[in-house]
Amino acid sequence: MTEHAKLSDRIAAETGENVFKCYQCQKCTVGCPVADEMDVKPNRVLRLLQYGRDDAVLRSKTIWICAQCQTCVTRCPHNIDLPRMMDVAKQEAVRRHIPSPLPMVPIFNDAGSRQIRMLGRMYELGLIGELKLRGFLAGERALDPLKDEIWMGMRLFAAGKLSPIPEIVRPSKPQPSVGAEPKPKRIGYFPGCSLHATGIEYNLSTHGVAKRLGLELAEPKGWLCCGSSPAHATDHLLATRLPIHNLGLISQQGDAEATM
């Protein structure tokens, strides 16, 4: 792939997605929950890519606003994965040193992906602190709502949703199964970083439902962050490697002591 390759070619090479499959039915735009905040609507992003107007895409707010909710993929008659294209566009904008019109988004992606590499999981308090500091240094009004956010943080601490100390997890290599018989009604369970922190209610409710169903949820030891949006926005290899590692751990557990 040459340095000045068209963005549509780079997208095809990295994701296998073909921008020319779009025939402008606009279902992606109609269903997008954040389309009103975009300066270039989702269907127009695809049209610009088809015409080779890469600069208009790379300088848009749209690629940074995309919430990666996959609604557009679900609605698309051709199952075009536009969020994956948005990820490639973000990475290409960074590679070409094109500044984002929304500086806090790349700051978040950079901070989040660094945390994942360093700690293995997201550290929400540290992430918030870095966002505030770097946003302030970048000239953003990141400190304006700080008083309200400190009050909210205190409530999260009181509810056990925000840990002052990061949880450091070093990746362990999944070991091959030794042929032990799986235990009935015990299944592998990957909670993800948020379910151990600000999304703890989902973790509690999942365990509660499983208990009523007679299931035991077995959390794999040493699981890593799934990558979340920061990894997908900055490094496709990292975003792929992390869930594969977790699947390996759960596969090992499934063979040895759990059912999948």
Side-chain angles (χ1 to χ4, degrees), residues 36 48 82 162 206:
D36 288 344
L48 290 171
L82 187 53
L162 206 58
T206 301

Side-chain angles (χ1 to χ4, degrees), residues 33-239:
V34 291
D36 288 344
E37 304 298 324
M38 294 176 171
D39 52 354
V40 180
K41 303 304 182 186
N43 66 294
R44 294 298 298 166
V45 169
L46 287 162
R47 181 60 89 201
L48 290 171
L49 290 172
Q50 290 172 348
Y51 280 113
R53 296 182 58 188
D54 298 351
D55 198 61
V57 174
L58 297 177
R59 294 185 182 277
S60 71
K61 293 181 181 179
T62 297
I63 62 175
W64 302 100
I65 288 177
C66 174
Q68 302 288 319
C69 66
Q70 301 287 315
T71 303
C72 55
V73 185
T74 304
R75 294 175 59 87
C76 178
H78 282 309
N79 296 315
I80 297 173
D81 196 337
L82 187 53
R84 291 188 70 192
M85 297 183 184
M86 299 284 196
D87 283 339
V88 175
K90 287 193 283 281
Q91 294 173 26
E92 185 66 10
V94 172
R95 193 181 70 83
R96 297 188 189 183
H97 305 290
I98 297 175
S100 168
L102 301 170
M104 292 299 290
V105 180
I107 289 175
F108 168 78
N109 291 335
D110 179 59
S113 59
R114 187 188 313 105
Q115 276 196 7
I116 293 168
R117 288 188 176 94
M118 290 176 57
L119 305 177
R121 297 180 187 172
M122 295 283 273
Y123 172 43
E124 294 182 342
L125 182 60
L127 180 61
I128 294 168
E130 181 172 346
L131 284 176
K132 292 296 179 183
L133 177 60
R134 291 180 59 183
F136 174 74
L137 295 176
E140 297 294 308
R141 302 179 64 178
L143 301 182
D144 283 1
L146 196 57
K147 181 178 178 181
D148 292 337
E149 290 175 351
I150 290 175
W151 173 243
M152 181 176 67
M154 293 173 62
R155 290 163 59 195
L156 290 173
F157 273 123
K161 295 183 177 183
L162 206 58
S163 172
I165 303 173
E167 189 172 5
I168 302 175
V169 180
R170 298 302 178 201
S172 57
K173 185 177 181 181
Q175 300 297 319
S177 159
V178 294
E181 290 296 323
K183 296 180 181 179
K185 296 187 178 181
R186 192 165 191 262
I187 61 174
Y189 172 62
F190 173 76
C193 302
S194 294
L195 267 64
H196 275 202
T198 51
I200 195 170
E201 294 97 341
Y202 293 105
N203 191 40
L204 294 173
S205 62
T206 301
H207 276 277
V209 171
K211 184 176 180 180
R212 291 297 299 267
L213 294 174
L215 301 175
E216 180 184 353
L217 301 181
E219 198 171 308
K221 295 180 180 179
W223 60 264
L224 302 177
C225 178
C226 67
S228 189
S229 54
H232 286 276
T234 58
D235 188 336
H236 278 301
L237 180 60
L238 178 65

